[in-house]
Amino acid sequence: MKFFIDTADLDEIREANDMGVLDGVTTNPSLMKKAGGSDFHAHIRKICEIVDGDVSAEVTATDFEGIMREARTLAKIHDNVVVKVPLILDGIKAIRALAAEGIRTNCTLCFSPTQALIAAKAGATYISPFIGRLDDISTPGMELIEQIVQIYANYGFETEVLAASIRHPMHVVEAALAGADVATMPFGVIKQLIKHPLTDIGLERFLADWKQYEQQAAAAGDGVGS
């Protein structure tokens, strides 16, 4: 499974990338607003310079011509840019046209298997089902991941399933078990993946025992490592 970070914060992206496990970045207009700045294209370029992997940058147009115009501009920023397109009628038309031009796309705001099927038939590079938002309305979001993975396997679609709107580590585990190709998550969730209370307890015990060992060695007149 590939790990993407869902943020436009350059410091978070650098820190996550330094861990050595980051495969890409997803952004959206809300994340750009949170990160601040005034030059969207320059900001995406900076992200691409940090991470050696796919970087999703979203269009804001909702009509076919506008989506195509913005997508072509975004794709020129860097080879790693994947154009994020909303799952609407003109978005699907644009995904098909962009695929014909060799421009990769991330079809976003997917909430049903039929939407995912249409996106794959249009030639989307990624499909982004929003599992957390489904959970928010008492609908099991992970079932959608399972359905999409099965449908794509049935027909050999090459579109990658990108589990989005991930809220906690169990979402990552469940998405991995369901066969999602990618999980995109906030930096806080990435850090949570490392944490376990038994790891902390075990390390604390080992270090305490080592300190006692050093004291015993010193009392016996032996230097540690001598």
Side-chain angles (χ1 to χ4, degrees):
M1 171 183 264
K2 289 186 282 190
F3 280 3
F4 288 3
I5 186 171
D6 193 35
T7 186
D9 186 300
L10 297 179
D11 290 335
E12 288 187 342
I13 293 169
R14 288 190 187 96
E15 191 172 348
N17 191 60
D18 287 345
M19 292 170 63
V21 298
L22 193 63
D23 300 296
V25 180
T26 53
T27 68
N28 60 43
S30 298
L31 292 173
M32 290 302 304
K33 176 186 175 184
K34 184 177 179 180
S38 58
D39 190 332
F40 173 49
H41 291 177
H43 197 95
I44 293 298
R45 188 175 297 108
K46 288 178 182 177
I47 294 174
C48 292
E49 291 169 354
I50 296 169
V51 179
D52 184 17
D54 289 346
V55 176
S56 288
E58 189 163 346
V59 300
T60 54
T62 55
D63 64 289
F64 175 77
E65 293 298 336
I67 292 171
M68 293 298 294
R69 182 170 56 253
E70 289 185 24
R72 289 171 179 140
T73 300
L74 290 171
K76 291 178 182 177
I77 294 175
H78 195 281
D79 289 343
N80 287 350
V81 168
V82 177
V83 180
K84 214 170 181 183
V85 179
L87 214 162
I88 56 177
L89 179 58
D90 277 10
I92 292 298
K93 290 168 59 179
I95 286 170
R96 168 58 76 181
L98 291 168
E101 295 183 15
I103 295 175
R104 297 180 300 148
T105 55
N106 176 353
C107 190
T108 189
L109 293 170
C110 173
F111 294 97
S112 76
T114 54
Q115 288 180 314
L117 182 56
I118 287 288
K121 287 183 67 65
T125 309
Y126 295 100
I127 183 69
S128 288
F130 279 43
I131 56 179
R133 294 194 191 183
L134 284 170
D135 287 351
D136 289 344
I137 59 169
S138 302
T139 301
M142 204 53 61
E143 285 187 6
L144 177 58
I145 299 292
E146 295 169 354
Q147 291 169 337
I148 296 172
V149 168
Q150 183 62 60
I151 290 169
Y152 284 7
N154 286 349
Y155 299 100
F157 287 119
E158 295 182 359
T159 301
E160 294 189 51
V161 180
L162 193 163
S165 188
I166 283 178
R167 305 285 174 78
H168 48 72
M170 283 311 300
H171 271 160
V172 180
V173 173
E174 291 166 0
L177 288 171
D181 300 288
V182 187
T184 188
M185 65 202 89
F187 187 42
V189 175
I190 293 177
K191 290 189 289 186
Q192 284 180 313
L193 298 179
I194 302 169
K195 297 290 290 182
H196 195 285
L198 292 180
T199 300
D200 296 337
I201 292 170
L203 180 58
E204 183 179 358
R205 184 175 299 162
F206 286 155
L207 293 177
D209 286 345
W210 179 252
K211 186 174 182 179
Q212 290 181 7
Y213 170 73
E214 287 183 313
Q215 292 171 345
Q216 292 170 357
D222 296 328
V224 176
S226 62

